[in-house]
Amino acid sequence: MRRHEFPRNKEQHEMTTRREFIGGAARALAGVAFMGCDLVTGAHVNAQGAPAPRRQVVVNGRRMRTVDIHAHCAFPQAMELLGLKPEPAGMVMGPSRLAAMDQQGIDIAALSINPSWYRAERDVAQAVIKLQNEKLAELCAAQPERFVAFATIALQHPDLAVQQLEHGVKKLGLRGVSVGGNVDGVELADPKFHPVWAKAEELGCLVFIHPVPVPELNKRFAGRNGDLRNIIGFPLDTTIALSHLIFEGTLDRFPGLKICASHGGGFLGSYAPRSDAVCISLPQRCTGVTLKKKPTEYLRQLYYDTIVFTPEAMRHLVAELGASQLLLGTDEPFPWNRTAVDHVLSTPGVSDADLAAMLGGTAARLLGIRT
Ligand SMILES: [Zn+2]
């Protein structure tokens, strides 16, 4: 079996994952250090009274620093301003988050807050963002070796969003910006957001796009089983957002813009060549905007998390988008992907250097995490 070939049976699987060796002594030692730290005060507040092991991710003898690009949080005080509560409770940061990170082998989480303020009036949105960004900065400052965070911005008020982005990155030390896949029904490619992308490009900071509901499709998604609103709606929101950013020429206008899309880029990771085919098969439908490249070529300059669930899906993502564009993601505290590290390690046909990049190397570079 080639070293990175996907295992076909349990024994082979154990052989493959053995390269990700967890030394018992190192694991026990590291487990004592961080388990149950209070996130703000730094005090050790172990809920169970027993330290849990911190997983050390090692590939062929080399310790990997892992960075989770897709980790949620929320602050109740900010949500109160919108008449909302954090849901689920695990969105509120506490000792259990570090315990989950330790158990899963996540060294650093890049925290983001899902937008729930895109309908808020200017003064409310301003207050929500100020509070959230300050809380994020405080949390990261208390545990700089475990957390970085994306700034939140009130995209529905683009001039305000530009100020919030600059303040969040320059004054508060936040490492990028998180946005929804649409802004209360308005596409990210809408020209009104150009000043925001110009500022993100100028700052060189990563834009993390997380899907939000697509209420226009709720009638089609309704049903008794499977939560289609989420399983189809979220990847579709991302797919639509990225497709407009490509076809409307936004990525040509801001060639230095660094974007990371959630959930492996939605459906584009699987079916992007159709975007090229339309301009060849039906060229009359590609005359509104003159693009500089084929649509799929833009996809290879964007970044994506690894939440795609199977080694075959990872193999395909690598083939379509490139290992250099993939960033480890968990979706914590949502229980979609609790074996995110193993999932990346099981990617067939990639080098150790690719694994190091996917597990955290690329994210560290994009987020300005120093070695
Ligand atoms: Zn998520």
Side-chain angles (χ1 to χ4, degrees):
M1 184 173 108
R2 279 165 50 222
R3 195 173 44 169
H4 301 303
E5 197 174 336
F6 177 58
R8 295 179 183 81
N9 57 41
K10 183 172 179 291
E11 189 181 347
Q12 283 181 320
H13 179 70
E14 284 170 357
M15 281 173 59
T16 301
T17 54
R18 207 168 292 143
R19 68 183 175 179
E20 185 263 320
F21 174 71
I22 304 168
R27 180 198 233 181
L29 189 65
V32 178
F34 290 104
M35 170 65 186
C37 275
D38 180 275
L39 294 169
V40 174
T41 65
H44 288 260
V45 288
N46 188 328
Q48 285 79 36
R54 178 172 172 184
R55 181 179 177 183
Q56 307 276 331
V57 179
V58 177
V59 174
N60 281 339
R62 190 172 149 225
R63 171 76 161 87
M64 297 283 125
R65 183 177 54 186
T66 58
V67 179
D68 177 8
I69 201 72
H70 189 148
H72 295 287
C73 73
F75 297 101
Q77 305 95 316
M79 295 199 77
E80 262 177 42
L81 299 174
L82 299 159
L84 300 170
K85 286 184 176 166
E87 186 74 38
M91 295 286 249
V92 181
M93 297 295 283
S96 63
R97 180 61 68 92
L98 272 178
M101 289 167 61
D102 287 349
Q103 185 188 20
Q104 295 176 40
I106 302 298
D107 293 315
I108 299 170
L111 299 170
S112 54
I113 302 176
N114 271 357
S116 53
W117 54 86
Y118 283 165
R119 291 185 176 176
E121 296 295 334
R122 190 179 179 94
D123 56 340
V124 175
Q126 199 160 14
V128 168
I129 299 301
K130 181 175 188 299
L131 185 55
Q132 286 181 160
N133 287 352
E134 287 175 358
K135 290 275 181 192
L136 284 169
E138 185 185 349
L139 197 155
C140 295
Q143 294 277 314
E145 73 284 5
R146 301 307 300 270
F147 296 109
V148 294
F150 292 101
T152 58
I153 55 175
L155 259 181
Q156 72 272 38
H157 307 294
D159 62 314
L160 185 58
V162 168
Q163 295 170 27
Q164 291 164 332
L165 172 54
E166 182 152 36
H167 183 259
V169 170
K170 283 191 173 173
K171 303 286 187 207
L172 298 177
L174 301 171
R175 305 304 178 92
V177 58
S178 61
V179 300
N182 70 78
V183 185
D184 194 23
V186 181
E187 293 300 332
L188 298 180
D190 192 292
K192 73 195 244 185
F193 301 126
H194 284 175
V196 180
W197 310 139
K199 181 55 72 177
E201 187 181 45
E202 176 197 316
L203 295 170
C205 69
L206 187 65
V207 179
F208 178 66
I209 301 179
H210 191 280
V212 292
V214 186
E216 300 93 321
L217 290 171
N218 277 351
K219 191 176 163 200
R220 296 292 310 280
F221 291 148
R224 292 179 297 167
N225 199 27
D227 192 7
L228 273 58
R229 185 195 59 85
N230 183 315
I231 61 165
I232 294 175
F234 278 7
L236 186 59
D237 181 53
T238 302
T239 303
I240 295 170
L242 294 184
S243 297
H244 280 307
L245 288 171
I246 292 169
F247 279 106
E248 294 302 318
T250 314
L251 298 184
D252 277 339
R253 183 180 283 265
F254 305 104
L257 191 60
K258 298 175 194 162
I259 288 176
C260 176
S262 299
H263 311 125
F267 299 123
L268 284 176
S270 299
Y271 204 34
R274 188 173 174 89
S275 300
D276 290 347
V278 69
C279 299
I280 298 165
S281 308
L282 301 162
Q284 71 277 16
R285 296 187 186 172
C286 287
T287 56
V289 175
T290 303
L291 301 181
K292 292 183 177 166
K293 298 187 270 194
K294 284 200 301 184
T296 54
E297 290 178 52
Y298 295 96
L299 290 176
R300 295 182 79 91
Q301 76 191 45
L302 308 183
Y303 299 90
Y304 309 86
D305 73 26
T306 56
I307 306 176
V308 294
F309 304 105
T310 67
E312 169 55 21
M314 280 295 292
R315 186 206 61 74
H316 189 68
L317 217 54
V318 168
E320 291 287 320
L321 307 170
S324 61
Q325 310 308 111
L326 304 183
L327 314 174
L328 171 71
T330 66
D331 222 341
E332 191 71 27
F334 298 99
W336 286 100
N337 196 26
R338 292 265 155 85
T339 54
V341 168
D342 299 300
H343 180 52
V344 170
L345 290 170
S346 70
T347 308
V350 292
S351 66
D352 287 354
D354 287 339
L355 284 177
M358 290 192 282
L359 287 168
T362 304
R365 175 170 54 78
L366 292 168
L367 299 171
I369 299 169
R370 293 188 187 87
T371 50

